[in-house]
Amino acid sequence: MDASGLAAWAAAVTSAATLVVTTWVGGRRERHRWLREALTEAFVAFLASSWRHSDAARGEASDAQHAALAAEYEEMRQQLTRLRLLAGADVVKAGEALVRAHRAVQEAGVGAVRDQALVRASQGRRTVLAAAQKLMGLW
């Protein structure tokens, strides 16, 4: 094989190696981007339903309030399932605690018991938020 043939072969091998490395790195980068976006969407939906649940619980007890609480509770459970698929154990544990806190809000009557349950739900949201920020490397 002469020098030009060797140079062509080396260029082809180098090009193939570059293509493989670029594809691998690009694929990992794209996967990380997708995961970050999916986590962000799941966290936002989960926390938004938590806020709506707490807001609905602040009104007078009525059939409409019970329906709103049930709907938001179900939404939180669905979003928690997404978090179970995408997030780590710390996030899932905090999310489960928040869902239990909201269940306590639903089961509490009006008055001081419900107010205390709403405080626990608020604390639970802060715990979920901190776990989410840690998982996503935001602090």
Side-chain angles (χ1 to χ4, degrees), residues 66-81:
H66 291 297
L69 290 174
E72 293 306 333
Y73 182 78
E74 185 56 34
E75 176 66 17
M76 285 183 66
R77 290 184 53 182
Q78 288 177 10
Q79 295 306 325
L80 182 59
T81 298

Side-chain angles (χ1 to χ4, degrees), residues 7-25:
W9 184 82
V13 168
T14 302
S15 178
T18 302
L19 177 65
V20 167
V21 169
T22 302
T23 301
W24 181 73
V25 169

Side-chain angles (χ1 to χ4, degrees), residues 21-82:
V21 169
T22 302
T23 301
W24 181 73
V25 169
R28 285 181 49 94
R29 188 176 300 135
E30 189 61 32
R31 181 179 172 274
H32 285 247
R33 183 180 304 132
W34 174 85
L35 181 58
R36 187 177 187 90
E37 289 172 5
L39 277 168
T40 300
E41 288 174 17
F43 285 130
V44 168
F46 183 70
L47 292 170
S49 63
S50 172
W51 277 111
R52 288 189 303 266
H53 188 277
S54 290
D55 290 345
R58 295 188 197 288
E60 291 296 318
S62 67
D63 289 342
Q65 181 196 47
H66 291 297
L69 290 174
E72 293 306 333
Y73 182 78
E74 185 56 34
E75 176 66 17
M76 285 183 66
R77 290 184 53 182
Q78 288 177 10
Q79 295 306 325
L80 182 59
T81 298
R82 288 178 66 198

